[in-house]
Amino acid sequence: MSDLPSTGLQLRSLITSAGQLQLSLEETDVPPPGDDEVVVQVGAAPINPSDLGLLLGMADLSSAIQGGTAERPTITADIPAGPLATLGGRLDESMPVGNEGGGVVIAAGAGEEAQALLGKTVGVLGGAMYSEYRTLNVHQCLQMHDGVTATEAASCFVNPLTALGMVETMRMEDYSGLVHTAAASNLGQMLQKICLADDVPLVNVVRKPEQAQLLRDIGASYVCDSSQDSFTQDLTDAIAATGAYLAFDATGGGELASQILTAMEAAAVATASEYSRYGSTQHKQVYIYGGLDRSPTQLRRAFGMAWGIGGWLLTPFLQKAGREKSQALRQRVADEVRTTFASSYAGEISLAGALQLETLQIYAQQATGQKYLINPGA
Amino acid sequence: MSDLPSTGLQLRSLITSAGQLQLSLEETDVPPPGDDEVVVQVGAAPINPSDLGLLLGMADLSSAIQGGTAERPTITADIPAGPLATLGGRLDESMPVGNEGGGVVIAAGAGEEAQALLGKTVGVLGGAMYSEYRTLNVHQCLQMHDGVTATEAASCFVNPLTALGMVETMRMEDYSGLVHTAAASNLGQMLQKICLADDVPLVNVVRKPEQAQLLRDIGASYVCDSSQDSFTQDLTDAIAATGAYLAFDATGGGELASQILTAMEAAAVATASEYSRYGSTQHKQVYIYGGLDRSPTQLRRAFGMAWGIGGWLLTPFLQKAGREKSQALRQRVADEVRTTFASSYAGEISLAGALQLETLQIYAQQATGQKYLINPGA
């Protein structure tokens, strides 16, 4: 581990002001670590839905063209004018990609915390993780227990902290139960496990009977299947039974958020003691944290006046929660990385493999379930 | 003023479980005042948009039928099945109507505060104000300065405190400017006057050139007319110039809230120092406080992740603001009732006049501007 590489391959996404997406692998400097820094050899980095915006820039993938060589493939594609207009801040600037990953610390700065990580496997929330090597501040690294692999550490942050963040948000905003959509996802399964461990009532919303079964198999008490005729009534009953007036919605578009608020209102009215002309006084909140359905959100507003909808992102949540709470959540992930927070993947690919047309098409179409893992050393 | 009436006429709205709206005038007991209570002879009570839900219960007014006598008219109308299903809490219960009004205290309980109000003109937020007499707690009354009439005191609460509440909400939630829609309304004019006095940047959104002129005439610096082709750019420029990232929307339906959030995001991105993959970090908030457009709210979500939309109501705001702050706001209304908070009316009608078919049709169709005043003594 003593031969510190001076450069390494890195996946880059460039959008030109002429409206072209260019994906490539670039040889990039690996800076030697400062006192509080370490160099991580990246072993695995997932392609999360939250990486796709930066990676693909809303390109029209039907226009994508393969180029370059087998070792250094490239992909180019057109960006439609509408999305292009919103990308002003990143035009003509080559951007590294990859929110999180796992790897081994192969060099460390002189500082005590840095030295303590030498040789350890770490999970990293560092950006630019689709790289062979990353020089990182120690605080971007989460040390794994002995024996945990880079692959097991790869998804330590985005899904686990998002799931934990939902439960913490519930506590911070004085709710006592949660509704979650696209609930059979990797993240949804983590959330169900957390809620079981922490005794938090959780209402899972899924779209298919087999997803309902998957959640019941890991202990879910409340699963509402939107493909069933009884969905509205099921959801209302589950909310009335659990008092779950805070929802996290991964889909964003269409009428689901409105349906949830309407069911919450019906549950609140059913359990209220008197008529209020402006609807129930129970505050009802939906946070949209994903955009699986990119169509407009439609709100029918038949749910009184005590309601809110908003965007929810992990980073602002962690800033709001503060350093101590965030550290406690991270440590829980490290402690339960093989159980509560275990992830599964559709497959593992190399950096060059990530820049193949067929791969692009697959993960651009991914719904909630399976995701790919990039192994930069493969 | 010593002959305390034992009964008085009161306007009542009843919805039967069979789906019929019944409006009538009922002779109702006037309870003698307790120690902390006064009896107010109501001189004027406005028909606000916020009264119409309780008054009309979403009835189909094309089915309305006049009945009763000239002195005791009645109106009946059908309630469609959809709305009827949401009215469970009030079925078969005769409800008094009228959020606010003004009048003279004609009797007072033994308590010091009650005695101090005897003979005074007061503004009242008491409910059931479409009545000849109301027995009320002293804290529901706002004493006017000498010479102010019941008509001038009639609209002391709903519009003035809503307008003041918008500015206070801005301060409580750490914003530094406001966007307001349907801005040429009575309430919108009050808000503009408050913002001028308090040096708060205000972006007014209107639908017609003459409304823009009306606001400019009272000193508005920023007026964006949604009927103009340049609306989107005008709104973005005004938000960038003012830093107004909090909006209050009276319309609710359609795409206006989404347009405002999109303009806020464009303004935030234009003034931001670096690209953020999830959009700007500037939080953008729209509160919907009215429902002039009852169609669904459509959110195109092209405004990053730092955003929120929600319902806003006066009463929960006042509870959140606390007693001391609420009292200060009320006193400001009393002090400026003839200037900042002066209201105008389309006309004045008696209690019997309020139960005429032609009157009903008029105020059910009212947009933002003119409203009627009921004078129960007429």
Side-chain angles (χ1 to χ4, degrees):
Chain A
M1 295 191 188
S2 55
D3 287 334
L4 183 61
S6 61
T7 65
L9 278 188
Q10 186 171 77
L11 192 154
R12 292 291 187 86
S13 172
L14 169 67
I15 292 175
T16 69
S17 43
Q20 188 178 57
L21 169 71
Q22 299 176 353
L23 301 178
S24 62
L25 302 180
E26 304 293 335
E27 198 75 37
T28 309
D29 284 347
V30 179
D35 281 359
D36 295 329
E37 292 183 327
V38 296
V39 178
V40 172
Q41 180 167 14
V42 182
I47 302 171
N48 285 310
S50 51
D51 291 308
L52 295 178
L54 188 61
L55 181 68
L56 304 177
M58 295 183 274
D60 170 15
L61 294 182
S62 69
S63 71
I65 295 171
Q66 186 86 53
T69 65
E71 279 170 11
R72 298 281 183 95
T74 63
I75 285 182
T76 54
D78 300 330
I79 315 266
L84 186 64
T86 70
L87 296 169
R90 63 168 287 191
L91 292 185
D92 301 318
E93 197 175 333
S94 177
M95 313 279 290
V97 191
N99 285 322
E100 66 178 343
V104 173
V105 174
I106 58 168
E112 196 176 334
E113 287 180 287
Q115 284 295 317
L117 287 176
L118 197 56
K120 302 290 185 186
T121 298
V122 290
V124 176
L125 186 69
M129 293 305 294
Y130 303 158
S131 305
E132 289 185 292
Y133 305 98
R134 285 284 283 127
T135 303
L136 295 155
N137 187 285
V138 292
H139 294 125
Q140 295 176 283
C141 302
L142 176 61
Q143 184 180 337
M144 296 290 105
H145 293 289
D146 288 347
V148 172
T149 67
T151 297
E152 289 172 318
S155 294
C156 269
F157 287 89
V158 178
N159 278 353
L161 290 180
T162 299
L164 288 169
M166 291 173 181
V167 177
E168 282 307 315
T169 298
M170 180 198 80
R171 292 180 179 128
M172 284 159 64
E173 300 186 4
D174 285 331
Y175 293 93
S176 55
L178 289 170
V179 176
H180 187 226
T181 73
S185 66
N186 238 309
L187 191 160
Q189 294 175 50
M190 289 179 190
L191 181 62
Q192 180 59 67
K193 290 176 192 169
I194 296 165
C195 287
L196 283 169
D198 291 12
D199 208 15
V200 170
L202 173 65
V203 178
N204 295 283
V205 175
V206 298
R207 287 177 298 178
K208 295 175 188 170
E210 56 267 35
Q211 294 169 330
Q213 192 54 48
L214 189 158
L215 285 164
R216 289 193 197 284
D217 288 346
I218 60 172
S221 298
Y222 298 94
V223 189
C224 302
D225 180 348
S226 61
S227 71
Q228 304 296 309
D229 290 342
S230 59
F231 175 62
T232 300
Q233 191 60 51
D234 294 346
L235 186 58
T236 304
D237 292 346
I239 292 167
T242 57
Y245 291 104
L246 174 62
F248 284 87
D249 176 29
T251 64
E255 300 204 5
L256 187 54
S258 193
Q259 286 178 302
I260 291 169
L261 288 170
T262 305
M264 286 177 172
E265 178 69 2
V269 167
T271 53
S273 52
E274 63 181 83
Y275 174 70
S276 166
R277 67 190 75 175
Y278 299 116
S280 80
T281 56
Q282 170 66 52
H283 195 83
K284 302 161 289 287
Q285 177 71 37
V286 175
Y287 285 120
I288 295 176
Y289 75 97
L292 296 174
D293 178 346
R294 286 166 72 170
S295 71
T297 316
Q298 302 239 22
L299 307 177
R300 296 204 174 273
R301 302 199 319 287
F303 34 71
M305 290 297 278
W307 61 276
I309 291 197
W312 191 94
L313 269 184
L314 180 57
T315 304
F317 159 74
L318 290 173
Q319 283 163 355
K320 201 172 182 181
R323 179 175 286 249
E324 195 178 341
K325 169 57 72 181
S326 296
Q327 189 48 44
L329 298 180
R330 287 159 57 117
Q331 192 53 49
R332 181 168 177 182
V333 177
D335 293 344
E336 303 175 24
V337 75
R338 284 176 159 167
T339 52
T340 312
F341 302 108
S343 288
S344 61
Y345 302 95
E348 192 173 311
I349 51 181
S350 64
L351 279 172
L355 296 192
Q356 303 299 320
L357 280 187
E358 60 271 27
T359 322
L360 267 198
Q361 301 291 354
I362 289 168
Y363 49 67
Q365 285 161 25
Q366 75 185 340
T368 48
Q370 299 296 299
K371 58 185 175 183
Y372 276 79
L373 198 65
I374 293 179
N375 178 348
Chain B
M1 293 192 189
S2 55
D3 287 334
L4 183 63
S6 61
T7 65
L9 277 189
Q10 185 170 75
L11 192 154
R12 292 290 188 85
S13 172
L14 169 68
I15 293 176
T16 68
S17 43
Q20 189 178 58
L21 170 71
Q22 298 176 353
L23 301 178
S24 61
L25 302 180
E26 303 294 334
E27 197 75 35
T28 310
D29 284 347
V30 178
D35 281 359
D36 297 327
E37 292 183 328
V38 295
V39 177
V40 172
Q41 179 168 13
V42 182
I47 302 172
N48 286 309
S50 51
D51 291 309
L52 294 178
L54 188 62
L55 181 67
L56 303 177
M58 295 183 274
D60 171 14
L61 294 182
S62 69
S63 70
I65 295 170
Q66 186 85 55
T69 64
E71 279 169 17
R72 298 282 182 95
T74 63
I75 285 183
T76 54
D78 299 332
I79 314 268
L84 187 64
T86 69
L87 297 169
R90 62 169 287 190
L91 293 185
D92 300 318
E93 198 174 331
S94 177
M95 315 278 291
V97 190
N99 286 319
E100 66 179 341
V104 174
V105 175
I106 57 169
E112 196 175 333
E113 288 180 287
Q115 283 295 318
L117 288 176
L118 198 55
K120 303 289 185 184
T121 298
V122 291
V124 175
L125 186 69
M129 292 305 292
Y130 302 158
S131 304
E132 290 186 291
Y133 304 98
R134 286 283 284 127
T135 304
L136 296 155
N137 187 285
V138 291
H139 293 125
Q140 295 174 283
C141 301
L142 176 61
Q143 184 181 337
M144 296 290 106
H145 293 288
D146 287 347
V148 172
T149 67
T151 296
E152 289 172 317
S155 294
C156 268
F157 287 89
V158 177
N159 279 352
L161 290 179
T162 299
L164 288 169
M166 290 174 182
V167 176
E168 282 307 315
T169 298
M170 182 198 78
R171 293 181 179 129
M172 285 159 65
E173 301 187 5
D174 285 330
Y175 293 94
S176 55
L178 289 171
V179 177
H180 187 227
T181 73
S185 65
N186 238 312
L187 191 159
Q189 294 175 50
M190 289 180 190
L191 181 63
Q192 180 60 68
K193 291 176 192 168
I194 296 165
C195 287
L196 283 169
D198 291 12
D199 207 15
V200 170
L202 173 65
V203 177
N204 295 283
V205 175
V206 299
R207 288 177 297 178
K208 296 176 188 169
E210 56 267 34
Q211 294 170 331
Q213 193 54 49
L214 188 158
L215 285 163
R216 290 192 198 284
D217 288 347
I218 60 171
S221 298
Y222 298 96
V223 188
C224 302
D225 179 350
S226 61
S227 72
Q228 304 296 309
D229 290 342
S230 60
F231 174 62
T232 300
Q233 192 60 51
D234 295 346
L235 186 57
T236 304
D237 293 346
I239 293 167
T242 56
Y245 292 104
L246 173 62
F248 284 86
D249 176 28
T251 64
E255 299 205 3
L256 188 53
S258 193
Q259 285 178 302
I260 292 169
L261 288 169
T262 305
M264 286 177 173
E265 178 68 2
V269 167
T271 53
S273 52
E274 62 180 80
Y275 174 71
S276 167
R277 67 191 73 176
Y278 299 116
S280 79
T281 55
Q282 171 65 53
H283 195 82
K284 302 162 289 290
Q285 178 72 37
V286 175
Y287 286 119
I288 295 175
Y289 75 96
L292 295 175
D293 178 346
R294 285 165 75 169
S295 71
T297 315
Q298 302 238 22
L299 307 177
R300 298 206 171 272
R301 302 199 318 289
F303 34 71
M305 289 297 277
W307 62 276
I309 292 196
W312 191 93
L313 269 185
L314 180 58
T315 305
F317 159 75
L318 290 173
Q319 283 163 355
K320 202 172 181 181
R323 179 177 288 249
E324 196 177 340
K325 169 58 72 180
S326 297
Q327 188 48 44
L329 298 180
R330 287 159 56 119
Q331 191 54 49
R332 181 168 177 182
V333 177
D335 292 344
E336 303 174 24
V337 75
R338 284 176 160 168
T339 53
T340 312
F341 303 108
S343 289
S344 62
Y345 302 95
E348 193 173 311
I349 51 181
S350 65
L351 278 173
L355 296 192
Q356 302 300 319
L357 280 188
E358 60 272 26
T359 322
L360 266 198
Q361 301 291 353
I362 290 169
Y363 47 70
Q365 284 162 28
Q366 75 186 340
T368 48
Q370 299 297 301
K371 58 185 175 182
Y372 276 79
L373 197 64
I374 293 179
N375 177 348

